[in-house]
Amino acid sequence: MLTRRAFVAASLLAGLSPAFAESPTPRDPAAILTAIYTRAAKGKGDSGGAFVIENKAKGKYLSKALVALWAKADAHTPKGDVGPVDFDPVTNSQEPDVKSFKIDAEKMEADKATMAVTIAGHRNDRKPADQIVRYDFVREANSWKIDDIRGSSDGESWSIRKMLGDSIKS
């Protein structure tokens, strides 16, 4: 007969104890974007998602390569000028407007992913294609990080990586 003490000891050895359980899996891209857009949609949905690209938060959300490219672009920007990204890429707008959002995984691999976020605003003044923002994620040190943000504005496509790279060339 297995006593309670023997069962607990066997469980500990088998790794069934919460203290010995595997650490939780890193937050996946959908969870990261859900947290970002939930915050952006609070209130009237006009606070936006610029917090993702603020200097203090860049390392939390963005890949090392994207942070380095951004730093290079910032260093290349003349003093007093606006940097190469002069809008809120999370909401794809100068004036953020997020009422609701829907996240779809377009590609999911072990070390990279592409997620599409469809944004519905309180106003209906944007073209349907301009309501979709795509995020390219990479896995770094067992965490998911944003490696590019892409969308379109008035039918013209844009990419954060391309904008930063172009600003260095000029």
Side-chain angles (χ1 to χ4, degrees), residues 2-168:
L2 188 61
T3 65
R4 192 177 315 181
R5 193 173 289 156
F7 176 74
V8 171
S11 297
L12 288 173
L13 291 173
L16 299 177
S17 165
F20 293 104
E22 278 184 43
S23 60
T25 57
R27 293 178 46 179
D28 63 70
I32 293 167
L33 292 175
T34 298
I36 290 170
Y37 280 92
T38 298
R39 180 173 168 183
K42 278 189 176 173
K44 295 180 181 178
D46 57 358
S47 64
F51 63 91
V52 171
I53 61 170
E54 290 174 349
N55 282 333
K56 291 182 259 177
K58 281 182 183 164
K60 176 179 179 181
Y61 294 102
L62 308 181
S63 69
K64 289 178 185 175
L66 187 56
V67 170
L69 179 61
W70 209 307
K72 207 173 189 181
D74 283 346
H76 194 265
T77 302
K79 243 189 186 6
D81 280 3
V82 174
V85 180
D86 62 349
F87 67 105
D88 182 350
V90 170
T91 61
N92 190 22
S93 178
Q94 292 286 345
E95 297 175 29
D97 178 25
V98 180
K99 181 178 180 181
S100 63
F101 60 92
K102 181 179 144 221
I103 300 171
D104 293 306
E106 293 186 337
K107 180 173 74 170
M108 198 70 181
E109 297 175 8
D111 61 346
K112 54 185 166 176
T114 299
M115 309 296 285
V117 180
T118 304
I119 305 165
H122 297 277
R123 304 179 309 268
N124 293 322
D125 58 351
R126 292 195 288 183
K127 297 177 181 180
D130 294 350
Q131 295 174 342
I132 300 171
V133 180
R134 286 183 171 77
Y135 290 80
D136 295 326
F137 281 84
V138 295
R139 191 184 279 274
E140 288 181 350
N142 210 26
S143 295
W144 287 101
K145 301 289 185 168
I146 299 167
D147 197 48
D148 197 7
I149 305 172
R150 301 176 285 123
S152 68
S153 180
D154 292 327
E156 295 291 320
S157 62
W158 56 264
S159 157
I160 293 295
R161 277 193 163 280
K162 184 170 179 352
M163 291 165 61
L164 295 171
D166 288 350
S167 75
I168 294 168

